[in-house]
Amino acid sequence: MTELEILAMRLACKARIERDGTVTVPLDDVFTLRRVLVDEMTSKLTALGWTESTREEGRLVIYSKEQRTVWLPLDPTFADWGIRVWEAIRELMWG
């Protein structure tokens, strides 16, 4: 199992589902999972020929390939974290 899979399973096990359908998970675990996911995305983008074009240390890295760009937020508290990472995942799947 990869580190990402282990962290995802750990988070799922720690999740508490309430009767009203809300879910509570430990925030530190979510942040750890996000950091590992970004590390995985970074290595996959590089392996597929994407190049790092811009970096704001500790905040954001932008990768480019041909006329396309994807943003990977390095800060797990970044407001648009999910949107930006999903865009990168879509590029890896279909780009």
Side-chain angles (χ1 to χ4, degrees):
M1 293 180 103
T2 67
E3 181 182 11
L4 188 58
E5 292 169 326
I6 292 167
L7 289 171
M9 286 186 4
R10 186 172 81 189
L11 187 63
C13 290
K14 288 183 176 182
R16 182 175 175 188
I17 302 171
E18 306 295 337
R19 287 180 182 232
D20 66 359
T22 59
V23 177
T24 305
V25 294
L27 192 56
D28 288 342
D29 290 345
V30 172
F31 290 161
T32 300
L33 183 64
R34 285 182 168 192
R35 285 186 191 102
V36 171
L37 179 59
V38 167
D39 289 346
E40 289 288 320
M41 297 292 296
T42 299
S43 64
K44 289 188 185 328
L45 286 166
T46 302
L48 292 172
W50 290 76
T51 56
E52 185 179 310
S53 58
T54 305
R55 177 178 285 267
E56 292 181 30
E57 200 57 45
R59 286 189 35 101
L60 177 72
V61 63
I62 300 173
Y63 282 87
S64 302
K65 183 177 182 181
E66 298 163 2
Q67 300 295 325
R68 302 183 321 248
T69 60
V70 293
W71 294 33
L72 283 180
L74 302 175
D75 179 356
T77 64
F78 190 84
D80 291 340
W81 192 93
I83 294 167
R84 296 298 183 181
V85 171
W86 179 243
E87 290 170 353
I89 291 169
R90 282 195 327 240
E91 284 293 339
L92 285 172
M93 290 175 13
W94 300 299

